[in-house]
Amino acid sequence: MLTRLKYAFAACALMAGFQSPPVLAADQSRSVELSQDSDYAGFDLRTVQNITQDQCQATCVDDKACRAFTYNIKARWCFLKSDFNTLNSFAGAVAGKIVIKDAQPDLGLAPKLAFISDDLRQQAKQFGDNLINTATPSELGLSTIIGRAYRDYTAGSGDYALEGFLSALLINPDDASLWIDAARAGNTVKNNREAANKGLYAALLGYDRTRTAKGRADALAVLAKALERNENYRAALSAYKASLDLVADKTVRAAYLALKATKGFRITGNTVDADGITARACVQFSDPLIARGMDYTPYVTVDGKPPAAMEVKNNQLCVEGLEHGKRYLVALREGLPSSVDEPLAAKTDIDIYIRDRSPSVHFTGDNFVLPSSARHGIPLVSVNTDRANLKLYRIGDRAIAPLMSNSQFLSQLSGYSASRIEEDNGELVWQGSIDIATTLNHDVTTSFPVDEVIPERKPGIYVLTANPASDKSDEWNDRATQWFVVSDIGLSTFAGTDGLTVFARALSSAKPMAGIQLKLLAKNTE
């Protein structure tokens, strides 16, 4: 009666897209497939010594728990295996695996999937281990529970079908097809994260229990759908490909191609960096490119020619050496390689315009100490602006320590932090603007005459901020900042076990200076 019910459910399952677990006919028998000079490592069931190869083979056939064996010819030892995986070379040994007559070939233990993270694999294991605490037990027979789950699935009640299959798995947790059917049901439940996770875990647990190409391909296809529902698209594509490598199923291929078209390796955007001395255009991809050993030049053209320079990093490819104020056509050839073993599906043309550089100013960062004995200025580098607004602040010696404690010293200042220096740490000694002779899109260096602006300078540290006259940015944005000291004394300090040694030399001649008075400040300004 049980066999009749299984076949009846199998008919329903096929109509619903399910795959019923295989039912072994009474006349099926176990035989052995031998491999000379080979060994199935691991999965030792037990060892029988001092027997012949035929006796070893017969022992494995008679023991239903035995799936494979390795026989050592010289030692006459028989190593019975509860499972098997990769066949290894081993001179002087004979490996055998059990084959069921009229059944699909046994592929052995399912290999570990490289595209599944260890965290996800562990979560699936915990789900299986805790099934007894999470699934709902039933007093009905196994066949009745499965039958109801199939009917719920065909009626569109995927959530009830999922719970039904999980109840059946409480009775038969080693049935791969039940795990896959549970995953398939979970894949149909909408707007339910818990059901989506259960379906994903069930698909992984079912895959681990598969033994045949057809069953494993089905498990991978269901796993791919579960990964897709969990928005793990790259892993889903890998699962679809692994399924198709085992069985070329048209429905699975259609699902794979549909997902690949929207979530496979593709161009996701492009940007233009126009504010450098030379401009560049970058194309972003959905997945990383090949970091080393790959020449992408044959796959990229700029106005039909190879790019003058190119940089490939992570998910981005950039063509460099472009001119401002020009338009370019960047073409990416079909077949452009990626690190995910999936080339660009189609040729893509990107029309790019390189605008003029944005108005900006910055300092060179040099000349922190300016010798007071010579005429000097601070170089200000500008782009596409004919005027810059500047403010000059002085910080007294007592304010240096707290400034360093707050990590403001030598940092770029925003308009707000510069005003705080004026209020808390120093004083605004000058503000104004400077005219600049511009050359479109080129860096122009203009000297800011410190000695003219503050001819009577007090001792201390000075900080100069600048921004283009047309700048309307928020006060929180950084300003071009230059810290400097005007002095004839160049100090060098060396800390050792004997204390602090200070050298003072004249910046004009580099000769040692005598009679210099030093003042040492602690962090608390004492």
Side-chain angles (χ1 to χ4, degrees):
M1 185 64 177
L2 181 58
T3 302
R4 291 180 183 175
L5 285 171
K6 281 190 174 181
Y7 278 117
F9 294 148
C12 294
L14 289 174
M15 289 188 295
F18 280 86
Q19 196 169 35
S20 180
V23 181
L24 302 182
D27 62 346
Q28 286 185 326
S29 60
R30 291 159 58 89
S31 60
V32 173
E33 179 182 301
L34 298 176
S35 298
Q36 299 294 325
D37 293 324
S38 301
D39 169 47
Y40 286 117
F43 305 104
D44 289 337
L45 182 63
R46 67 179 189 277
T47 303
V48 183
Q49 302 179 16
N50 297 321
I51 63 174
T52 66
Q53 179 180 323
D54 290 342
Q55 289 172 325
C56 177
Q57 179 174 325
T59 302
C60 187
V61 170
D62 293 339
D63 187 343
K64 296 298 188 289
C66 182
R67 291 183 178 270
F69 66 86
T70 295
Y71 181 75
N72 189 306
I73 299 173
K74 185 176 181 180
R76 289 167 53 85
W77 281 24
C78 177
F79 300 90
L80 302 178
K81 312 283 183 177
S82 62
D83 210 333
F84 63 92
N85 201 322
T86 305
L87 186 65
N88 302 313
S89 297
F90 193 100
V94 177
K97 68 176 182 179
I98 296 297
V99 178
I100 305 297
K101 183 182 178 182
D102 298 329
Q104 294 186 51
D106 191 335
L107 301 180
L109 190 69
K112 185 177 180 179
L113 299 172
F115 53 83
I116 297 298
S117 68
D118 290 338
D119 285 344
L120 180 54
R121 192 175 289 105
Q122 182 61 28
Q123 291 168 16
K125 182 181 183 302
Q126 291 176 352
F127 174 73
D129 294 342
N130 294 330
L131 191 63
I132 191 171
N133 300 318
T134 57
T136 305
S138 175
E139 297 180 355
L140 301 173
L142 178 62
S143 59
T144 303
I145 298 171
I146 296 174
R148 288 187 175 184
Y150 282 140
R151 287 196 296 273
D152 285 334
Y153 178 82
T154 55
S157 300
D159 50 349
Y160 289 111
L162 171 61
E163 296 307 319
F165 286 119
L166 294 178
S167 296
L169 283 161
L170 287 174
I171 303 171
N172 191 9
D174 293 325
D175 191 330
S177 62
L178 280 180
W179 285 108
I180 299 306
D181 288 343
R184 187 179 280 110
N187 285 344
T188 66
V189 183
K190 297 180 179 179
N191 303 319
N192 189 324
R193 173 59 63 182
E194 182 180 4
N197 288 336
K198 286 182 177 180
L200 176 57
Y201 301 151
L204 282 169
L205 294 169
Y207 166 81
D208 287 339
R209 289 163 172 77
T210 56
R211 310 287 305 187
T212 66
K214 187 176 181 181
R216 193 162 294 170
D218 183 49
L220 286 164
V222 175
L223 173 61
K225 188 64 178 178
L227 290 165
E228 183 179 348
R229 291 198 66 220
N230 280 267
E231 299 182 356
N232 193 346
Y233 301 116
R234 175 49 53 194
L237 288 165
S238 297
Y240 275 130
K241 286 194 286 187
S243 176
L244 292 168
D245 288 342
L246 290 169
V247 177
D249 184 275
K250 292 182 179 179
T251 303
V252 175
R253 180 167 294 280
Y256 165 65
L257 294 176
L259 181 62
K260 181 182 176 183
T262 57
K263 302 298 181 181
F265 177 65
R266 65 200 184 282
I267 295 171
T268 57
N270 65 85
T271 56
V272 174
D273 180 6
D275 287 330
I277 296 177
T278 59
R280 71 176 192 166
C282 298
V283 181
Q284 292 81 38
F285 297 87
S286 59
D287 297 279
L289 301 173
I290 299 173
R292 297 180 180 178
M294 173 58 64
D295 181 13
Y296 279 93
T297 305
Y299 299 93
V300 183
T301 61
V302 179
D303 289 342
K305 299 177 182 179
M310 188 165 60
E311 180 189 47
V312 175
K313 187 176 182 181
N314 298 329
N315 295 45
Q316 183 169 268
L317 183 152
C318 299
V319 292
E320 302 179 336
L322 306 180
E323 296 183 25
H324 297 89
K326 289 191 175 182
R327 190 173 295 278
Y328 296 91
L329 182 67
V330 178
L332 304 176
R333 208 186 80 192
E334 175 187 356
L336 183 144
S338 72
S339 64
V340 294
D341 195 26
E342 192 176 303
L344 191 64
K347 180 179 180 293
T348 304
D349 293 336
I350 303 174
D351 186 55
I352 289 173
Y353 174 71
I354 308 298
R355 60 170 175 77
D356 290 332
R357 298 171 71 182
S358 300
S360 66
V361 294
H362 69 274
F363 295 102
T364 62
D366 300 328
N367 303 322
F368 173 68
V369 178
L370 299 177
S372 58
S373 58
R375 181 178 180 83
H376 49 265
I378 293 179
L380 176 68
V381 182
S382 61
V383 177
N384 291 351
T385 182
D386 58 4
R387 178 175 288 272
N389 295 328
L390 300 100
K391 291 185 178 182
L392 181 62
Y393 303 87
R394 175 190 168 274
I395 300 167
D397 56 359
R398 284 290 179 178
I400 294 174
L403 199 69
M404 298 182 71
S405 298
N406 296 331
S407 301
Q408 282 186 287
F409 186 55
L410 300 183
S411 66
Q412 293 293 302
L413 300 178
S414 67
Y416 174 78
S417 57
S419 65
R420 295 298 299 173
I421 285 181
E422 179 183 358
E423 296 173 10
D424 301 335
N425 304 102
E427 60 178 328
L428 177 65
V429 297
W430 181 88
Q431 65 177 335
S433 60
I434 186 171
D435 292 329
I436 299 170
T438 62
T439 302
L440 184 64
N441 295 319
H442 284 73
D443 286 357
V444 175
T445 302
T446 305
S447 179
F448 173 72
V450 176
D451 48 355
E452 292 182 12
V453 170
I454 45 174
E456 301 295 331
R457 291 181 295 277
K458 297 179 182 179
I461 291 178
Y462 291 84
V463 57
L464 179 65
T465 65
N467 61 304
S470 60
D471 184 18
K472 305 297 181 182
S473 62
D474 192 90
E475 280 293 302
W476 293 99
N477 291 345
D478 283 348
R479 301 284 192 258
T481 306
Q482 177 68 65
W483 297 79
F484 65 95
V485 174
V486 179
S487 175
D488 282 329
I489 306 170
L491 292 180
S492 301
T493 61
F494 298 90
T497 56
D498 57 341
L500 184 70
T501 302
V502 181
F503 295 90
R505 292 180 180 273
L507 294 178
S508 58
S509 64
K511 293 181 179 180
M513 301 181 71
I516 301 299
Q517 182 180 359
L518 298 177
K519 183 182 292 186
L520 186 64
L521 295 177
K523 287 185 177 180
N524 62 359
T525 74
E526 292 298 321

